[in-house]
Amino acid sequence: MTDLWRSAAYRIAFTYSAAFALAIAVLGASVYLAADAAFRHQLDTGIAEEMTDLARTYRTGGLDGVRAAIDTRRSGASNAYHYALLDAAGRRVAGALDTVRPPPGWSDIRFIDPAEGEDAGRALARPIGGATLVVAIDPESLERLDAVILLLFAGAFVIVLLLGTVGALILGRYLRLKLARIGDTALAIVAGDLSQRIPIGRRGDEFDIVATSVNAMLDRIAQLLDNLQQVSSDLAHDLRTPLSRLRGSLEAALDGPSDRTTLKAALRQSDDILALFAAILRISEVEGGGIGRSMEMLDVVELASDLCETYAPAVADGGRTLTCNTIGGALVRGDRELLAQGLINLLDNAQVHTPLGTGITLTVTRQEGTVLLSVEDDGPGVPATDRIRIVRRFVRLEESRSRPGNGLGLNLVAAIAALHRGRLVIEDNRPGLRAMLVLPAP
């Protein structure tokens, strides 16, 4: 029992059961007292009616008429009342009620029952013609009825206690199992198994809502840990080459005559490293919500048109074409600088990873409560197996890594989309590739 009481689930269940049992006890006691009072009032009413009838007989027939009426009532088999007519000295001159003369009015008396001996009764006394008329009743029937009510109530209360105890055990076990699943999952995660999740039932109750929220939090934590592990591994891999080159340039500058070309190469390599760290910091700030908190309503059609006008000459100089395909107007709630950064990254990817003569299109459309910002090209595209992988940090499909870049551009775009409660979708353009920002429309 001590182990059960230590459990919060069982304490809650037994407390509820005890409160329910207490409510039943209070209700039963109230019903018993109310019924007893009603029955006693009914007895008093019957005694008062008998007294009124005998007093009416006295007014018409005097004491002799009262004696005759008492004798007649005594002979009735169904009459439960007891009568006594006492003279001024307290001697009984009529009736069979053997008791001491009570004071006028209502009183509880003791009388001698021929069958049971001394017994208790309820009586009404009234002086008439120099004598005292007493009408009483033995409340034995009321006591038997009270005993039956108490017995029934006691039996019902025991049943309620048993049902409450069984219900408390079932409810406590249910709560304990639900909480144990959460605890076991937490312990498994602490032990290092990050794949564990809390089971979710079909009812959709409060436990399922909590489990869904906790699982979503665990998914987010697992994603962040994966990103951290990926960043640690890929950062070490990507920094090895530029740092080696930087060291070689510095050694060449130290060993031989320093020239501006060697120093410029070293500075350029250090700038690349700093740019890499700046990109990582930028992604971390976006994912953590450190920037972009001041969202405002903006027209992304205007934003896309400005970018097309600005970047079209540079794209043309690189041997590709950029066209803009927009609708009349599309409002979203977002950060203009971040959305512009995301589209610029997509345009840069389309230029770097496509051959000369590729056509690039920046499109803005609306579809089912969303605004779609897409950068499409008719280049070689990306295999379906790699479309999800290229969004991860430092992932580059070019094994030689001879082209500029660090594999962080699409990851930053995905972080910007998530900050705007949207998503980045990579799909086949047939031919080429379509990178699409799906943003919720206000």
Side-chain angles (χ1 to χ4, degrees):
M1 189 65 184
T2 304
D3 293 337
L4 293 181
W5 192 248
R6 289 176 182 171
S7 169
Y10 282 109
R11 285 202 307 272
I12 293 173
F14 278 112
T15 300
Y16 173 79
S17 178
F20 182 72
L22 180 61
I24 293 296
V26 172
L27 177 63
S30 301
V31 170
Y32 169 77
L33 293 175
D36 182 73
F39 290 144
R40 291 187 182 278
H41 177 71
Q42 185 178 358
L43 292 180
D44 289 349
T45 300
I47 293 174
E49 290 176 355
E50 286 292 313
M51 180 62 76
T52 300
D53 191 36
L54 290 175
R56 189 181 302 113
T57 300
Y58 169 75
R59 287 193 295 271
T60 58
L63 292 178
D64 292 336
V66 172
R67 292 191 187 97
I70 289 174
D71 292 339
T72 302
R73 283 171 167 76
R74 287 178 56 197
S75 62
S78 61
N79 194 347
Y81 297 99
H82 302 280
Y83 307 94
L85 186 61
L86 306 176
D87 59 14
R91 293 187 296 272
R92 187 175 69 238
V93 296
L97 180 61
D98 186 3
T99 184
V100 178
R101 182 173 59 183
W106 293 98
S107 60
D108 294 322
I109 63 172
R110 306 292 299 179
F111 70 97
I112 303 300
D113 190 325
E116 301 178 2
E118 187 176 358
D119 203 353
R122 179 69 171 166
L124 174 61
R126 177 182 293 181
I128 55 172
T132 299
L133 177 61
V134 180
V135 179
I137 192 171
D138 186 354
E140 183 178 358
S141 60
L142 176 60
E143 293 171 355
R144 287 198 299 268
L145 183 59
D146 286 345
V148 171
I149 293 176
L150 285 175
L151 182 62
L152 291 175
F153 170 71
F157 186 70
V158 170
I159 294 175
V160 167
L161 285 179
L162 292 176
L163 292 177
T165 302
V166 174
L169 290 173
I170 295 175
L171 177 61
R173 178 175 175 79
Y174 171 78
L175 294 176
R176 196 169 189 177
L177 288 176
K178 286 286 188 179
L179 296 174
R181 291 177 181 176
I182 299 176
D184 293 342
T185 302
L187 291 176
I189 291 174
V190 170
D193 187 1
L194 299 180
S195 64
Q196 291 294 322
R197 294 296 182 267
I198 302 172
I200 300 175
R202 299 179 179 178
R203 296 185 178 89
D205 55 17
E206 290 78 1
F207 285 103
D208 294 332
I209 293 174
V210 171
T212 302
S213 301
V214 173
N215 287 344
M217 178 186 68
L218 294 175
D219 290 339
R220 179 59 176 165
I221 293 174
Q223 179 186 0
L224 293 176
L225 290 176
D226 288 342
N227 289 341
L228 180 60
Q229 292 175 354
Q230 178 191 351
V231 167
S232 301
S233 175
D234 293 342
L235 187 60
H237 184 273
D238 276 46
L239 283 179
R240 181 183 303 168
T241 300
L243 287 175
S244 298
R245 291 175 180 173
L246 178 59
R247 178 180 177 82
S249 299
L250 293 176
E251 286 179 347
L254 289 175
D255 294 340
S258 299
D259 56 19
R260 295 181 61 85
T261 303
T262 304
L263 294 177
K264 285 182 178 180
L267 286 175
R268 187 167 52 254
Q269 291 161 2
S270 64
D271 288 339
D272 292 340
I273 296 173
L274 291 175
L276 175 62
F277 280 105
I280 296 173
L281 180 60
R282 182 75 167 176
I283 294 173
S284 300
E285 289 176 343
V286 173
E287 289 182 338
I291 57 177
R293 294 185 183 275
S294 57
M295 299 289 186
E296 60 180 1
M297 299 300 299
L298 58 93
D299 188 355
V300 292
V301 172
E302 178 184 351
L303 174 62
S305 300
D306 291 343
L307 290 177
C308 280
E309 183 179 352
T310 302
Y311 276 80
V315 175
D317 292 342
R320 298 163 184 82
T321 60
L322 174 62
T323 58
C324 196
N325 183 14
T326 61
I327 55 179
L331 296 177
V332 298
R333 186 173 185 83
D335 186 292
R336 181 182 179 88
E337 179 184 352
L338 289 178
L339 291 177
Q341 179 69 59
L343 291 176
I344 291 171
N345 282 14
L346 295 180
L347 291 173
D348 288 342
N349 274 350
Q351 294 181 75
V352 172
H353 301 290
T354 57
L356 296 177
T358 300
I360 302 172
T361 305
L362 176 57
T363 304
V364 181
T365 57
R366 284 193 299 262
Q367 179 180 352
E368 297 180 357
T370 59
V371 175
L372 310 180
L373 306 174
S374 61
V375 175
E376 307 164 3
D377 63 68
D378 55 5
V382 174
T385 54
D386 293 327
R387 289 176 196 154
I388 297 178
R389 193 169 66 90
I390 59 176
V391 181
R392 298 174 59 187
R393 296 182 186 181
F394 298 107
V395 172
R396 300 174 65 184
L397 301 183
E398 183 195 13
E399 297 297 334
S400 63
R401 295 179 180 254
S402 59
R403 293 179 181 178
N406 47 39
L408 295 175
L410 288 179
N411 188 259
L412 176 58
V413 177
I416 292 173
L419 182 66
H420 289 78
R421 298 184 178 180
R423 66 186 189 278
L424 172 63
V425 178
I426 307 294
E427 58 187 19
D428 191 2
N429 195 37
R430 298 180 183 179
L433 188 70
R434 179 187 294 114
M436 185 164 48
L437 280 173
V438 183
L439 304 177

